[in-house]
Amino acid sequence: MRQRGVTVIELMVVIAILGILAAVAIPAWRDYLVRAKVRQAADAAAPHVAALDLACRNGNLAGAGNEALGLAPADSWRTEYTTSIAAAGESAGEGIVTVTLDRVGGGIVDGGRLVLAGKCGGRGMVWAAGGEDVPEKYRPALP
């Protein structure tokens, strides 16, 4: 007489496989969510990046801030994951956009800062993301 059904060993193997998959997938999913939130915060700074790029092309980068660039004050740039966004132009041909993060998670404290730094060149600014408060694995790649 043949028995039909699943043995306890087969059931345990399936549960073990599901456990291994969950152990790998859950941390990867959490990292993905944090990267997406940081990317959204960086995208909210697009007007600041564009304004600094224009100031670089026009030679007006030194001393440029939100007001001089025609942008609203830093505290008025609130989004789901930011509390403020400030732009600043430096005399050395550098522009800095500081994005203050909020409710991002992944070990990034509320009030942590994502710094978008740009160097003025012949074709505008070249940008890179940084900041001590945002681990490198969460920083967005910028064009």
Side-chain angles (χ1 to χ4, degrees), residues 45-52 65-74 76-77 85-88 97:
H48 299 74
V49 169
L52 284 171
N66 279 27
E67 186 177 332
L69 294 168
L71 299 168
S76 65
W77 290 90
I85 304 173
V97 177

Side-chain angles (χ1 to χ4, degrees), residues 93-111:
E94 295 178 356
I96 296 173
V97 177
T98 305
V99 180
T100 306
L101 302 171
D102 186 36
R103 298 180 297 125
V104 173
I108 300 173
V109 297
D110 291 348

Side-chain angles (χ1 to χ4, degrees), residues 18 24-25 35 40-41 44 55 59 64 71 79 84-85 87 92 96 103 105 142:
L18 289 174
V24 172
R35 279 194 309 275
Q40 186 175 346
L71 299 168
T79 67
S84 69
I85 304 173
I96 296 173
R103 298 180 297 125
L142 300 173

Side-chain angles (χ1 to χ4, degrees), residues 72-136:
D75 292 341
S76 65
W77 290 90
R78 289 183 140 308
T79 67
E80 189 174 358
Y81 303 114
T82 65
T83 57
S84 69
I85 304 173
E90 306 291 328
S91 60
E94 295 178 356
I96 296 173
V97 177
T98 305
V99 180
T100 306
L101 302 171
D102 186 36
R103 298 180 297 125
V104 173
I108 300 173
V109 297
D110 291 348
R113 298 198 171 158
L114 173 67
V115 177
L116 309 177
K119 278 217 166 274
C120 191
R123 296 184 182 210
M125 300 191 79
V126 178
W127 293 91
E132 294 178 8
D133 298 331
V134 181
E136 191 169 343

